[in-house]
Amino acid sequence: MLRSSQAESELAAEDMATARNLRVAIISDAAPERNGVGAYYRDLADHLRARGAHVALVAPRYRAGRWHGGLRLPLPGDPTQRILIPSWSLVEKRLKRLRPNVIVVPTPGPYGLLGMHLAGRLGIHLVVGFHTHFEALTNLFQDWGVRAHIANAYLRGCHRLLFSRSQVVLANSIEMVEVARSIGAKRVSLMATPIPKRFLDRALSPTRPRIERILFAGRLAPEKNLAAVVEAARRLPDLEFIVAGDGPLREWLEQETRDLPNLTLVGWVKRTQILRLIDSVDALVLPSRVESFGTIALEAMARARPVLVSEACGILSWDILSGGIFTIRADENLADALLRLRQLDAASLQNKTEMAREAAGIINQRNLRHWLALLAGDHASTVDGQQ
């Protein structure tokens, strides 16, 4: 049941009072423009600042085709990404200006480990975000051979160290909560995903009576199961498929587009342009083999677009969200699921997308309050009513 407007106003006032006392440093290896984790913390920082919190987002930056923020090293398996070694002194200077009372670390790389060390050195709370089961991703890179085992051991060791030093670990699905516990996290809480304010505030664009334009947006990597998108484009020539993103499979996908006139690769899309891209299509698909949550799916729900995801997507573990999502069943492929979706009448589609948009707004508000409580020291806080 939705709260009354008076109750919502009172809660908003409580949020503002809590936020004004917060000084939060988010120290992340994920550049805000380059992946879902980077986007998550930029959106979270914006929401926290809007409530009055003081927030510093310390992370690499990717601008005009160049990386900034430290010594650049290649990321094995993905030539489009980099690992950056941060300047210790520069990070310390930013923290001295902020004087944080909590540090948030969402990644197990050099930035994240420095954030962990500084939290211990300053004697302040450390909150760890567990968004990606990197160890599972390395298992998809069979051609790495022994390097995959080394990467797996390194990432598991880093996560174990981060979890042991943290006051609380936040995971974005029930499955990820269990993975975190198996690695050694003692106190784990479920977190949802923030949505940029404009996705909920901007008027919805009209939809066509039939599903004709399909969008996939994300990293072009093995875990995303892009072969399913290519197969669907080949089987359904009357549908237009748009792929947005960059990653190690870009060259392969470019080859596939040459033979499929209904498959278009638009490359990397800036975060500020994602809303317009979602509004231009009739449905979003996410056929991933490994997907801890699926932020782009939640954003499409906020824009009242039908969302079709695989059973591997963590977003389905949220009861309030799963009711607004179409699922690719275990006994069908993406093309079959799209055919099933196209057979639905307009009223059924509209009902589903309206449910999805409302759920996205509700979870966005609950997630922000959850974060505010955790950052203020309430480590027993949960996202109200999600499971």
Side-chain angles (χ1 to χ4, degrees), residues 270-304:
K270 290 184 178 179
R271 187 93 172 113
T272 54
Q273 299 171 348
I274 287 291
L275 186 151
R276 188 183 308 162
L277 181 61
I278 291 173
D279 281 357
S280 74
V281 302
D282 305 315
L284 178 126
V285 297
L286 202 58
S288 306
R289 294 191 183 95
V290 177
E291 191 72 59
S292 298
F293 184 77
T295 300
I296 188 66
L298 183 61
E299 292 172 345
M301 292 170 68
R303 298 307 297 163

Side-chain angles (χ1 to χ4, degrees), residues 6 20 32-33 69 169 240 245 252 326-327 342 356 374 380:
Q6 180 180 354
R20 279 194 293 268
E33 284 286 342
V169 175
E240 180 183 358
W252 167 79
F326 296 98
T327 307
R342 295 189 83 196
L374 286 168

Side-chain angles (χ1 to χ4, degrees), residues 229-240:
V229 178
V230 172
E231 180 201 14
R234 186 171 287 113
R235 284 186 51 192
L236 306 172
D238 58 326
L239 293 184
E240 180 183 358

